[in-house]
Amino acid sequence: MTGGLPPVLSDQRRATITAHLVAHSGELTTRVVEAIQSRHSWFTRLGAEERSWITVVARAGIDNFISWFADDAKADVNPGSLFNAAPRALTRKVSLHQTVDLVRTTVDVVGEQINELVPPQERRALELAIVYFSRDVAFAAAELYARAAELRGGWDERMEALIIDAVVRGEADDMVVSRASALGWHSQGAVMVVVGPSAAGADLESYRHAAEALGLAVLASRQGGRVILIGSGEQLTDRDAALALVARLESRFGVGNIIVGPLAPDLANANRAARTALAAARVAYAWPDCPRVASSAQLLPERALANQDDAREALLEEIYKPLADAGGELLHTAASFLEHGSLEATARSLFIHPNTVRYRLKRIAQTTGNSLTNPRQAYVLRLAITLGRLAEG
């Protein structure tokens, strides 16, 4: 409701103009719809149902304006009520910018018809009325879309949480993937799962915007004090590339470790990546020097000691068995070096030259990806060898 028009028209002249507007309301509606069709290409791309609803809204806007103009002091005449003529779902098909285009076009068309509707001395009053009314319609449209966005945002966040929960539980079927697509998810290559502490006061939208700025399609959910991100992008070529991307998001997270799970081929097969990332996040505190951004593979020892079967299996399959199958006494040399701690002592215990030990250490690093001269990697090798011996015993 506006604050009222300046008293430039007598009640009699207002009634006369109103009657003239009522008589031509159908013609005005037709001209408005024709102008919308000719001036806005997006209108023709809408479905027949959406176009018909816009016609209804245009007619409601003209009728509402006429009622308001007839007596702008009526408290029950609300310019924003014209949007009640269409379903709220229309806000998903027609953007706020497009709605403003509609309002502007309607105002322009009605303004163009003033010369035919009223005598010259009263055109200014009608022009002023149109400006007052369209202002209130614009505010009503902004409020409508803000409310719709708020409701849609809450619904979308709940849907994202359900999708991520389905991925974690291994229930990401075609329906889940379809729902993710409805939220704007489009797989662009490999999929990564990131688990990190939630920053105080940060909303999920900030994580989405930051990830999207890096070219990632992303889903986000909050579980307790943690944020889970599922991202996809052509840049995710390997683990190092994933860690580098997440490092650029580091400032968005709270205090603590940010864990990146193994890459998955797609959303439907991201269950292992999600479970692994969550499991690693739960035990990261046990490694005091754990990097701020770390992969779940870097936490294999802690995960294995926490009775995570997949971590034990990874230590056996990826480290112990390749070492045992490599030949050349590599396994024996590794165990001896772990016990004695130096080239010379290991050489003496094995009755070989130190250069031979040096050569074998290099082979061990190439075979397992872990160097015995690095304390952390030596710890990984020691645990893998211990688990291997227990498995074979």
Side-chain angles (χ1 to χ4, degrees):
M1 181 65 190
T2 70
L5 293 174
V8 295
L9 289 174
S10 66
D11 290 343
Q12 182 179 357
R13 290 307 305 156
R14 186 189 294 266
T16 300
I17 295 174
T18 299
H20 205 58
L21 291 172
V22 170
H24 291 81
S25 60
E27 180 183 349
L28 282 173
T29 302
T30 300
R31 293 193 179 187
V32 165
V33 173
E34 289 175 349
I36 291 172
Q37 290 176 330
S38 62
R39 299 179 188 182
H40 306 297
S41 60
W42 57 262
F43 179 80
T44 59
R45 294 194 292 269
L46 294 174
E49 183 178 5
E50 286 78 26
R51 293 199 302 271
S52 67
W53 279 119
I54 288 177
T55 301
V56 170
V57 171
R59 179 56 188 263
I62 291 173
D63 290 345
N64 200 303
F65 169 70
I66 293 172
S67 298
W68 175 86
F69 180 79
D71 186 355
D72 68 311
K74 287 183 179 179
D76 59 343
V77 177
N78 176 13
S81 65
L82 67 94
F83 294 108
N84 295 336
R88 288 294 186 265
L90 193 62
T91 59
R92 287 183 175 271
K93 300 290 186 178
V94 181
S95 68
L96 176 59
H97 178 74
Q98 291 168 339
T99 301
V100 172
D101 282 343
L102 296 178
V103 173
R104 184 182 295 114
T105 300
T106 302
V107 170
D108 290 344
V109 171
V110 174
E112 291 165 2
Q113 304 305 310
I114 288 178
N115 291 337
E116 301 176 15
L117 297 174
V118 297
Q121 65 272 20
E122 294 172 351
R123 291 171 188 167
R124 178 58 182 165
L126 190 54
E127 290 174 350
L128 185 60
I130 293 172
V131 171
Y132 269 64
F133 185 81
S134 63
R135 180 197 65 183
D136 278 13
V137 170
F139 278 118
E143 182 180 358
L144 172 70
Y145 276 82
R147 191 181 306 115
E150 183 178 352
L151 292 173
R152 187 161 57 246
W155 172 256
D156 287 353
E157 285 200 4
R158 288 191 290 274
M159 181 63 72
E160 280 191 65
L162 289 173
I163 291 170
I164 291 176
D165 186 57
V167 171
V168 171
R169 289 186 285 109
E171 300 174 0
D173 54 15
D174 290 342
M175 181 177 293
V176 171
V177 175
S178 176
R179 289 175 176 172
S181 297
L183 293 177
W185 167 272
H186 299 290
S187 183
Q188 302 171 357
V191 172
M192 71 172 177
V193 179
V194 182
V195 178
S198 176
D203 59 12
L204 293 176
E205 199 62 29
S206 66
Y207 294 95
R208 295 190 193 96
H209 286 164
E212 289 168 359
L214 298 177
L216 297 173
V218 67
L219 297 170
S221 175
R222 184 177 282 107
Q223 292 188 1
R226 292 194 179 99
V227 170
I228 301 177
L229 300 181
I230 299 180
S232 176
E234 296 177 355
Q235 314 96 307
L236 298 175
T237 53
D238 54 30
R239 184 175 70 186
D240 290 341
L243 289 172
L245 277 172
V246 176
R248 296 173 64 181
L249 300 173
E250 176 186 350
S251 61
R252 301 286 174 177
F253 291 88
V255 177
N257 301 106
I258 305 165
I259 306 300
V260 182
L263 296 182
D266 51 48
L267 186 64
N269 293 286
N271 167 249
R272 176 175 173 271
R275 289 189 297 103
T276 300
L278 284 166
R282 286 193 290 269
V283 299
Y285 70 91
W287 180 14
D289 293 329
C290 179
R292 163 77 162 157
V293 178
S295 71
S296 57
Q298 291 174 276
L299 285 151
L300 278 176
E302 289 73 21
R303 291 167 50 208
L305 292 173
N307 293 320
Q308 295 178 16
D309 291 338
D310 59 334
R312 290 171 178 257
E313 188 69 20
L315 286 170
L316 288 173
E317 295 295 329
E318 298 173 15
I319 297 177
Y320 179 76
K321 287 187 177 179
L323 192 59
D325 295 342
E329 298 292 329
L330 293 189
L331 179 60
H332 191 39
T333 301
S336 180
F337 188 87
L338 287 168
E339 290 299 323
H340 297 93
S342 70
L343 286 170
E344 291 76 11
T346 302
R348 288 194 297 271
S349 70
L350 297 176
F351 302 103
I352 57 177
H353 194 277
N355 284 342
T356 303
V357 175
R358 187 176 288 106
Y359 169 75
R360 290 181 181 177
L361 293 183
K362 184 177 180 180
R363 288 274 315 279
I364 290 168
Q366 293 172 341
T367 302
T368 67
N370 291 272
S371 171
L372 283 165
T373 59
N374 178 291
R376 172 68 184 181
Q377 294 175 15
Y379 175 53
V380 174
L381 283 162
R382 180 184 289 276
L383 188 57
I385 293 172
T386 301
L387 289 173
R389 285 172 171 171
L390 290 173
E392 292 176 351

